């Protein structure tokens, strides 16, 4: 185990200890001075700062290499969110190798009303079924010839966090718990591909039970690997995609990418790829898609929904995407 991996694990354990003793102190008086209860948090802060500082040279070296060109992981029409074309780190953090990560949600066919996604609501309904969103179940393909390093799809697809109460729950409680539980609980079902030359691709928030590959398999560009889902720290069904310089999310540094024929779409930009660029994602000729398309159009403004904020002293945690929770 590398020193960086050890430091990341120690940080998480110290934060778990701090939270546990804070909860316990509500019911019992701790057998030590009040100030001593902050020692785990202080130690975690020191580790977090150290992790941030020591990662800077690696991030600079990766940025100097320039973007890696790969094929898009989807076909059909999609809309970009939390894009590195607008800012880096795109999700407000370098944690989990997501400096240049992007979120994409499925868009409806050209000329349609809205994009087929149910509107964000202030109070009701509190949440919706993932099946109501056009991205749910859309096929995801290999961006290059690669070897599967990690493949996981046993976590459940939860209901959406697309109302104000549900979003507050995500930001205040769920995101913290998932962060303390580790990267895999943030990304949900996910897939990591070794593209060669020290570059790895990660697909997050996959649909439960949808993987068609397993670790060790060789895949070819364009091969369908899984389906889009709503697992992990996510507000609604979407794909979180990123390139990184290693397979371990705790230690990886983000690598800039560009999609062949698309580039890097900006926030809110809708793009089309593949033979079905004019159709809904997942819709084969002569086959009805498995999701509905009569949902109301999205509102003109949506609150920032991709939420996981932690104190500045921590080694940076996932922040809140605009409409879809990433990793």
């Amino acid at each position: 185990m590398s020193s960086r991996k050890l430091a990341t694990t120690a940080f998480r354990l110290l934060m778990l200890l701090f939270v546990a003793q804070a909860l316990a102190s509500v019911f019992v008086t701790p057998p030590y001075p009040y100030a001593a209860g902050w020692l785990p948090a202080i130690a975690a802060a020191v580790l977090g700062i150290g992790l941030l500082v020591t990662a800077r040279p690696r991030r600079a070296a990766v940025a100097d290499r320039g973007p890696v060109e790969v094929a898009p992981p989807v076909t059909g029409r999609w809309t970009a969110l939390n894009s590195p074309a607008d800012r880096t780190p795109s999700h407000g953090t370098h944690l989990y190798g997501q400096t240049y990560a992007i979120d994409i949600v499925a868009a409806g066919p050209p000329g349609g009303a809205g994009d087929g996604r149910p509107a964000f609501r202030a109070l009701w309904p509190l949440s919706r079924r993932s099946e109501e969103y056009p991205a749910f179940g859309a096929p995801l393909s290999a961006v290059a010839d690669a070897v599967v390093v990690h493949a996981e799809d046993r976590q459940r697809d939860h209901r959406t966090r697309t109302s104000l109460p549900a979003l507050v729950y995500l930001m205040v409680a769920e995101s913290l718990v998932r962060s303390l539980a580790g990267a895999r609980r943030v990304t949900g079902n996910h897939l990591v591909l070794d593209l060669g030359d020290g570059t790895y691709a990660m697909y997050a928030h996959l649909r439960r039970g949808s993987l068609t590959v397993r670790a060790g398999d060789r895949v070819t560009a364009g091969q369908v690997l899984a389906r889009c889902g709503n697992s992990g720290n996510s507000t609604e069904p979407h794909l979180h995609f990123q390139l990184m310089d290693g397979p371990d999310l705790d230690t990886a540094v983000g690598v800039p990418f560009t999609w062949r024929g698309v580039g890097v779409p900006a926030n809110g930009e809708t793009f089309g790829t593949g033979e079905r660029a004019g159709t809904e994602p997942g819709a084969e000729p002569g086959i009805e898609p498995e999701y509905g398309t009569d949902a109301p159009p999205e509102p003109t403004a949506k609150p920032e929904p991709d939420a996981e904020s932690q104190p500045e002293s921590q080694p940076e945690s996932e922040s809140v995407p605009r409409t879809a929770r990433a990793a």
Side-chain angles (χ1 to χ4, degrees), residues 11-12 52 81-82 87 89-103 158 167 170-190 202-205 230-236 238-242 244 249-250 252 304-312 314-327:
F11 169 83
R12 188 173 294 125
L52 288 175
L81 304 168
N82 304 304
R87 68 165 185 171
S90 58
H91 287 59
T93 177
H94 298 288
L95 191 63
Y96 307 137
Q98 61 180 330
T99 303
Y100 303 97
I102 191 170
D103 294 330
H158 53 70
L167 187 59
L170 172 71
M171 297 173 66
V172 175
E174 184 176 7
S175 292
L176 174 62
V177 172
R178 288 186 180 278
S179 293
L180 294 176
R184 61 183 293 270
R185 292 299 180 184
V186 175
T187 58
N189 299 320
H190 64 285
M202 196 273 285
Y203 303 61
H205 311 307
N230 192 35
S231 57
N233 210 51
S234 169
T235 58
E236 68 176 82
H238 73 287
L239 171 65
H240 172 107
F241 175 85
Q242 67 188 49
M244 49 195 185
L249 295 172
D250 282 330
E304 294 282 335
D306 210 330
E308 185 179 326
S309 57
Q310 295 186 8
E312 284 294 322
Q314 299 183 14
E316 302 183 48
S317 62
E318 283 220 356
S319 61
V320 182
R322 298 195 175 191
T323 57
R325 174 66 178 144

